[in-house]
Amino acid sequence: MDRFLSEFENKFRAGFLPDLEQTLAKVELEKVYACVFGTDSDWITLFMAVNTEESLTRHITNMKEQGLCDSEQDEIYYRWGCSEYQYGEETHFNHISRLLYATEDVQKYKDEIIRIIAKVVNETADDVFARYGQTKADITFFVSLTDDDLAEEIENQSVHQMTNPSLLSKFLKRYDGIN
């Protein structure tokens, strides 16, 4: 394995579980439905964000009060747009972002980075989630780009690798029928 990919996997593996547990502890009384790993089009940053059904409901209510949510399309955006997720502000894998930033043409590794993230998520024991009142099989995991038109393609590619198959159809159809 390429030295960069080996180092990325080691750093991601070391940072994921503590960040995940810290985030799950904050939302222990809520129902997590999504966990996203966000990056930019250059693949030089990485963060994790989580959203819950309860935080989504509060956020949509707040956006409606401000006149910023008045359609099904808006609600779908708030459900799946990682920049709208309410938990994860402390999970900016800074040690990984430094590695990504220091690597020339890091975006050429995007498929391998997604594969490594999925591998670590898949290897994370269900009981880690259960300790915080969550069920791993009920969470949609995916990678997203915060600043690129390819975000939906990356999301659809990555969700297959780390999400329970029973959740895939709903996620993949999230924008169907929306004009």
Side-chain angles (χ1 to χ4, degrees):
M1 180 185 287
D2 181 283
R3 189 177 75 83
F4 162 75
L5 293 174
S6 179
E7 188 173 353
F8 175 83
E9 182 170 349
N10 291 337
K11 287 181 180 287
F12 184 76
R13 189 175 297 281
F16 172 63
L17 192 56
D19 283 357
L20 175 68
E21 290 196 87
Q22 176 184 334
T23 302
L24 291 177
K26 287 183 178 181
V27 300
E28 195 164 7
L29 301 176
E30 298 184 21
K31 174 74 176 122
V32 174
Y33 71 85
C35 178
V36 63
F37 302 94
T39 188
D40 55 73
S41 59
D42 293 324
W43 293 77
I44 58 173
T45 61
L46 186 65
F47 66 90
M48 181 182 72
V50 167
N51 219 16
T52 66
E53 294 294 349
E54 295 82 356
S55 66
L56 174 66
T57 298
R58 288 189 303 270
H59 191 53
I60 287 175
T61 298
N62 185 36
M63 293 295 103
K64 284 181 177 180
E65 288 170 359
Q66 295 179 46
L68 299 173
C69 181
D70 57 10
S71 70
E72 181 184 0
Q73 183 176 359
D74 291 342
E75 290 189 27
I76 290 170
Y77 169 73
Y78 291 128
R79 173 169 284 279
W80 299 115
C82 67
S83 62
E84 300 296 326
Y85 284 13
Q86 303 298 302
Y87 301 101
E89 59 275 356
E90 293 92 23
T91 61
H92 291 286
F93 303 117
N94 290 329
H95 62 295
I96 297 171
S97 294
R98 281 193 294 274
L99 170 66
L100 296 172
Y101 185 76
T103 303
E104 190 172 316
D105 296 326
V106 73
Q107 65 267 34
K108 72 182 177 186
Y109 295 105
K110 69 178 175 54
D111 292 335
E112 290 88 354
I113 289 171
I114 292 169
R115 184 190 53 75
I116 289 167
I117 291 170
K119 176 181 171 187
V120 172
V121 167
N122 291 331
E123 290 173 355
T124 302
D126 294 344
D127 70 332
V128 170
F129 296 86
R131 282 196 301 266
Y132 299 96
Q134 306 298 328
T135 304
K136 181 180 175 184
D138 293 340
I139 301 172
T140 301
F141 296 90
F142 60 101
V143 174
S144 186
L145 303 176
T146 58
D147 65 345
D148 198 300
D149 291 339
L150 294 176
E152 187 175 349
E153 181 180 322
I154 294 293
E155 292 167 359
N156 290 349
Q157 170 194 345
S158 64
V159 74
H160 284 282
Q161 296 179 47
M162 59 186 119
T163 297
N164 182 328
S166 68
L167 301 176
L168 292 179
S169 178
K170 185 176 180 180
F171 182 82
L172 295 172
K173 293 178 181 178
R174 65 197 180 281
Y175 301 121
D176 289 359
I178 303 296
N179 296 328

